[in-house]
C-alpha cells in the first residue's frame, strides 16, 4: 500500500523504463525506475517464481518544507522533490539553509521547537543563513535572531528567552503576543521589541534587569 502513489500512477512512471521479460529484466534498473516515482524513497524489486515480481516501496514521510517551496524534507533529513500543490496543503514548517545542510537544520528545528511550548507557540520557520546565523519565526509572526553556535548553545539562549519573556513583557503591560522581534545575540541577555514599546533589554539572570530605550512610541 502506498499513500501518494496508485498502481496506475506507478505503472505510468515505471513501465516505460522497464525492458525485458521476467527472466531478463535488470532488477537494479527496475529498482531505479520505481525510485524515480514521486514520493518513493526506496524500492526493493525481487523475482518471485514462477512469474511475478515482488516490489516493496518505502515512501518519504514529509516533516518540513525546504528552501524554495518545491522541496520537502523527509524524516531522515533528506530533501526530495514534491508537487507544489502537495507542499502547500501540508502546513509544515519552513526550513532553509545551505545545500547539504538539511539534516542539520531539521535536527536543530526538532530540538528548538519544543522549547517554545511554554509560550503556547511553535516555530514555523527556521533558517541557517549563509554566514552561520540562525533565525527563527514563531507562529504569531515574531522573529527571533538566535545567532551563531552549536545547537546546544542556541537551545540555551532560547530557553532563557522563553523563561523570562513573559515577565519582561508584563512590565510593559504587554503579553507574549505583543512580541514582534527578539535578538538573542547579545552577550548576557537579549533585546526585545514589543508592540508600542521600542527596544527592551533583559539580562540573562532573569527579567530583573530591564533597560528601556526610547520608551513607547
Amino acid at each position: 500500500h502506498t499513500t501518494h502513489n496508485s498502481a496506475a500512477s506507478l505503472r505510468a512512471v515505471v513501465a516505460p523504463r522497464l525492458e525485458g521479460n521476467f527472466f531478463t529484466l535488470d532488477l537494479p534498473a527496475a529498482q531505479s525506475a520505481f525510485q524515480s516515482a514521486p514520493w518513493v524513497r526506496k524500492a526493493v524489486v525481487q523475482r518471485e517464481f514462477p512469474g511475478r515480481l515482488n516490489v516493496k516501496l518505502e515512501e518519504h514521510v514529509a516533516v518540513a518544507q525546504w528552501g524554495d517551496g518545491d522541496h520537502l524534507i523527509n524524516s531522515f533529513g533528506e530533501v526530495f522533490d514534491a508537487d507544489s500543490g502537495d507542499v502547500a496543503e501540508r502546513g509544515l514548517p519552513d526550513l532553509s539553509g545551505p545545500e547539504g545542510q538539511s539534516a542539520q537544520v531539521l535536527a536543530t528545528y526538532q530540538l528548538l521547537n519544543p522549547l517554545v511550548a511554554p509560550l503556547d507557540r511553535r516555530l514555523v520557520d527556521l533558517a541557517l543563513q549563509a554566514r552561520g546565523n540562525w533565525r527563527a519565526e514563531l507562529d504569531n509572526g515574531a522573529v527571533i535572531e538566535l545567532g551563531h553556535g552549536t545547537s546546544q548553545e542556541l537551545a540555551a539562549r532560547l530557553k532563557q528567552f522563553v523563561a523570562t519573556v513573559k515577565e519582561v513583557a508584563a512590565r510593559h503591560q504587554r503579553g507574549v503576543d505583543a512580541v514582534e522581534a527578539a535578538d538573542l545575540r547579545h552577550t548576557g541577555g537579549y533585546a526585545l521589541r514589543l508592540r508600542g514599546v521600542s527596544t527592551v533589554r533583559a539580562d540573562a539572570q532573569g527579567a530583573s534587569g530591564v533597560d528601556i530605550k526610547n520608551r513607547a512610541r
Side-chain angles (χ1 to χ4, degrees):
H1 175 72
T2 57
T3 302
H4 300 281
N5 288 284
S6 65
S9 65
L10 281 171
R11 193 176 297 114
V13 172
V14 175
R17 299 184 55 178
L18 299 182
E19 297 180 359
N21 57 31
F22 174 77
F23 295 100
T24 62
L25 179 68
D26 183 333
L27 292 184
Q31 179 174 304
S32 176
F34 276 101
Q35 287 178 176
S36 70
W39 289 90
V40 175
R41 177 176 183 262
K42 187 181 294 184
V44 176
V45 181
Q46 298 171 317
R47 288 186 178 88
E48 193 172 281
F49 290 92
R52 62 182 291 182
L53 291 177
N54 184 28
V55 181
K56 295 180 180 178
L57 300 180
E58 176 191 337
E59 289 193 318
H60 294 285
V61 176
V63 295
Q65 296 183 47
W66 177 255
D68 59 14
D70 287 333
H71 297 84
L72 294 172
I73 302 179
N74 66 17
S75 52
F76 296 93
E78 300 163 340
V79 177
F80 66 100
D81 293 332
D83 182 278
S84 56
D86 288 338
V87 174
E89 297 175 2
R90 294 186 167 271
L92 298 173
D94 290 304
L95 308 183
S96 60
E99 186 177 352
Q101 297 299 309
S102 57
Q104 180 190 357
V105 177
L106 175 62
T108 303
Y109 173 84
Q110 291 171 332
L111 174 66
L112 299 182
N113 185 47
L115 301 183
V116 300
L119 303 179
D120 296 321
R121 301 262 66 97
R122 64 185 180 90
L123 296 183
V124 295
D125 193 298
L126 181 65
L128 173 55
Q129 298 174 316
R131 296 184 179 180
N133 185 62
W134 292 83
R135 173 182 289 179
E137 183 179 332
L138 301 180
D139 56 347
N140 64 348
V143 174
I144 303 176
E145 295 286 356
L146 294 161
H148 297 73
T150 65
S151 55
Q152 288 73 27
E153 289 170 335
L154 302 178
R157 286 180 211 137
L158 188 58
K159 284 180 183 177
Q160 181 63 41
F161 168 75
V162 169
T164 58
V165 67
K166 286 184 179 180
E167 185 178 346
V168 174
R171 286 173 177 246
H172 303 283
Q173 295 77 51
R174 301 291 190 279
V176 175
D177 282 344
V179 175
E180 292 182 337
D183 191 341
L184 313 191
R185 296 173 294 181
H186 297 267
T187 302
Y190 59 87
L192 191 65
R193 191 169 75 241
L194 299 166
R195 231 170 260 116
V197 179
S198 307
T199 305
V200 176
R201 191 181 185 290
D203 69 27
Q205 302 308 311
S208 57
V210 175
D211 173 29
I212 307 169
K213 300 176 182 177
N214 304 322
R215 189 55 198 269
R217 295 189 283 260

